[in-house]
Amino acid sequence: MESAAPGTEGHQGPHTGPHVGSHVGSHVGSHVDEVDRIVTDWRRERPDLDLEPLEVFSRVTRLARHLDLARRTAFTMHALDGWEFDVLAALRRAGEPYEMSPGALVTATLVTSGTMTNRIDRLEGRGLVERHRSPDDRRGVVVRLTGAGRARVDAAFTDLLAHEARMLQDLDASSRPELATLLRALSAQFDDPPAS
């Protein structure tokens, strides 16, 4: 899927402004983005194709790259890597006493058990998590968020939400729930397991 990611548009050709094509002028507020220009060019070159998927997913890709930058910025401010935040956030969301088994963390963060063991070791070395004997299985362990880990993930999450709020600031507040609903409907097909 062709996307118009920041800094990678590489758009060439004579049609580079908002005057291209009648389709572009129909957008809300007459705002034209790089995806509009790409779609207009493809519509001229390949009028036989339905370009609606390109209009949706090129923008999703572009926004995802901006979001990735916002995540890295927020986490760097708190000396966290993305994977560290993911593990700490899974523990934080679990609620008191903020602990999970390594297996549950594997499921929550979609990594292998070997990768998770390494990540727990590194977080434990930084004083952000602790291992404890499982109360339900004397041979098992649970991973628990420390006070320092909770403070770190809470601060990083607060800053991440501030970055994300700024990304939404040009979208009318009344439109945001509708956008969330549409995105939920689109993503559900990938989140739900196939019926057996």
Side-chain angles (χ1 to χ4, degrees):
M1 180 65 64
E2 182 172 2
S3 65
T8 61
E9 288 88 348
H11 179 72
Q12 298 178 352
H15 305 293
T16 57
H19 60 279
V20 295
S22 59
H23 172 76
V24 170
S26 66
H27 296 288
V28 175
S30 297
H31 180 75
V32 177
D33 66 4
E34 186 63 20
V35 175
D36 290 323
R37 299 182 182 102
I38 290 172
V39 169
T40 295
D41 287 348
W42 275 120
R43 200 169 258 122
R44 181 191 66 241
E45 298 300 318
R46 292 297 309 271
D48 57 309
L49 295 178
D50 176 9
L51 298 176
E52 189 173 57
L54 181 66
E55 294 198 68
V56 174
F57 290 110
S58 286
R59 291 185 173 96
V60 169
T61 298
R62 186 178 179 86
L63 288 169
R65 292 182 183 179
H66 283 293
L67 178 58
D68 183 60
L69 178 60
R71 283 173 56 91
R72 283 187 277 125
T73 299
F75 301 158
T76 298
M77 290 171 58
H78 300 280
L80 288 175
D81 288 330
W83 68 263
E84 291 176 309
F85 177 85
D86 290 343
V87 175
L88 298 178
L91 292 168
R92 180 67 172 90
R93 294 194 313 268
E96 291 190 86
Y98 310 114
E99 64 183 30
M100 298 172 69
S101 70
L105 283 170
V106 164
T107 300
T109 59
L110 303 176
V111 297
T112 66
S113 59
T115 296
M116 181 53 64
T117 297
N118 178 263
R119 292 183 173 184
I120 293 169
D121 288 344
R122 292 171 66 179
L123 288 168
E124 190 173 31
R126 296 187 62 190
L128 302 177
V129 304
E130 298 172 335
R131 286 181 170 93
H132 293 273
R133 287 291 179 190
S134 171
D136 303 318
D137 179 1
R138 295 183 61 183
R139 294 178 300 173
V141 299
V142 294
V143 180
R144 183 180 302 163
L145 199 59
T146 64
R150 179 180 172 184
R152 187 79 60 92
V153 71
D154 279 358
F157 186 51
T158 298
D159 282 342
L160 174 60
L161 287 178
H163 281 286
E164 292 179 346
R166 285 192 289 274
M167 290 177 65
L168 288 172
Q169 66 186 359
D170 291 337
L171 185 64
D172 185 87
S174 63
S175 301
R176 297 172 194 177
E178 180 182 4
L179 176 60
T181 297
L182 292 171
L183 291 173
R184 183 185 302 111
L186 186 61
S187 66
Q189 62 183 307
F190 304 105
D191 293 338
D192 295 339
S196 56

